[in-house]
Amino acid sequence: MSIADTMTRTRGEQLPFLRVFVAIAGIYIAQSLVSGLALQSVPAVMRSTGAALDQIGLLYLVLIPWSLKFLWAPWLETFRLGKGRNRSREVIIWGQWSVAVLVAAVALIGTADFPLLLTALSLATLAAATIDIACDGFAVEQLAAHHRGWGNTAQVGGSYVGFMLGGGVYLWLVAHSDFRTATLLLAAMIVVLSLPFVFVRLGRDPAPRDEFVPHTPSLGFALKRREVRLGIVLVILAGLGPRASSSLLGPYLIDKGLDLGTLGILNGAAAVGAGVAGTFLGALLVQAFGASRATVVAIFLQLTVLISLTALIRFGAATIPALIGIQVALTITMAVGFVAFYSLLMGASSLRQAGVDFTLFQCADAACATASGLAAGVTAHSIGYANVFALTVGSSLIAAIASLYLARRIEKPGGLTE
């Protein structure tokens, strides 16, 4: 394909913020709804019918597209932005409805035919991850700098709400009806959540020809840019400590004597409430201080929580109520961080290929979450919880110091990179 085959506008009119917010919120909720279904609800339903744990473990294969979507992001961006026409609406709507059809297929397949069930769930997550590329690109294009903080509450808050719908709410529906009915209701919910995007009208860009620049989206173009490279480094550094600690706090609470029912409430409604509260706090910080300073504040807040956790353990004060407070505080500060990071990284994404650049950041974060979670479990088995939590303090301290240098250099003066 010639470089001239994709013509991308670098500037132009943006849609009204409220319309954008509602449209992307519906998409982000639906995406996390699918993740909650695949990673929380279906495993629970399968286990209740006697499925083996090793079979249930295979469901985590559906996460693969979320870590690898950067591989096909350039192709999708080329199609989405090709020849002066923004096709975000078409990609997202048809993608969402494909996800709904696949979730409906899960309802019809049931849990008895596991290979077919796994295939349908994998295709649904693949479609959701692909839609996410287009939705992120659309959000970067449409959210002005002063709206990014509140705009990212749709993404981060939507993920918490969607996971709750696909997890706790869905399991309640299964308990009060049956697997097929509950899953079909979830498929219908995905269609309803996509409706606000139906009214998004972009069409062919009316800008004069000289406002277009020839460009073919690519990973090479992204990685040549300093802001992208520094953004990936910051995402990984900042994620290691909080991600590792978050993955271990649940098992640690169980070992301290917390019952499964209370932990379920803590990881369910309490986590959603804390996460949503954190997204609003993050938006307020971005509005008040700007994305780069809000990012630094978020990392230092996370460091404070991890220091408090380590101190409680070292001084023998790690009671269950204290640890529950730490988990809630960590959830809040991580949500603050997501909003601040995403606002900062939106500014570092090029309008020529916003979906590619932002997808790289998200894939780096997903890889960091997977690696830190695995490493934390293995390391805790060898050296104990206390030492692992102490290591997370060290890694977060490094991230906090690095953020003082990196955040300012990632943020572009005046907004989005052209």
Side-chain angles (χ1 to χ4, degrees), residues 285-359:
L285 285 174
V286 172
Q287 293 299 117
F289 302 115
S292 62
R293 290 181 181 177
T295 296
V296 173
V297 170
I299 294 174
F300 273 92
L301 286 174
Q302 292 166 5
L303 173 61
T304 302
V305 174
L306 296 181
I307 290 173
S308 301
L309 171 60
T310 304
L312 287 173
I313 295 172
R314 290 297 183 188
F315 293 107
T319 62
I320 286 180
L323 291 171
I324 289 175
I326 288 290
Q327 180 150 342
V328 170
L330 184 59
T331 301
I332 290 173
T333 56
M334 287 180 71
V336 171
F338 291 142
V339 172
F341 291 154
Y342 290 162
S343 298
L344 177 67
L345 299 175
M346 278 187 173
S349 300
S350 171
L351 283 179
R352 299 184 186 187
Q353 51 171 55
V356 177
D357 293 1
F358 202 78
T359 293

Side-chain angles (χ1 to χ4, degrees), residues 165-253:
L165 291 174
V169 172
Y170 170 80
L171 287 175
W172 183 87
L173 288 172
V174 172
H176 288 80
S177 55
D178 55 62
F179 178 81
R180 176 170 292 185
T181 302
T183 311
L184 287 173
L185 285 172
L186 223 59
M189 197 179 299
I190 292 170
V191 173
V192 172
L193 287 167
S194 70
L195 291 180
F197 223 102
V198 172
F199 299 101
V200 169
R201 302 294 179 188
L202 293 171
R204 185 167 294 278
D205 200 313
R209 186 70 174 178
D210 59 5
E211 287 198 27
F212 291 93
V213 291
H215 176 69
T216 297
S218 70
L219 295 174
F221 178 80
L223 294 173
K224 284 179 183 177
R225 296 181 53 245
R226 179 166 166 255
E227 300 95 322
V228 172
R229 297 195 302 271
L230 294 180
I232 291 172
V233 170
L234 183 59
V235 163
I236 293 173
L237 284 177
L240 288 173
R243 294 284 196 180
S245 297
S246 179
S247 70
L248 284 182
L249 269 172
Y252 185 56
L253 280 164

Side-chain angles (χ1 to χ4, degrees), residues 78-89:
T78 299
F79 175 77
R80 186 177 74 88
L81 300 174
K83 298 181 180 177
R85 181 183 176 188
N86 193 315
R87 297 186 180 90
S88 298
R89 178 175 172 272

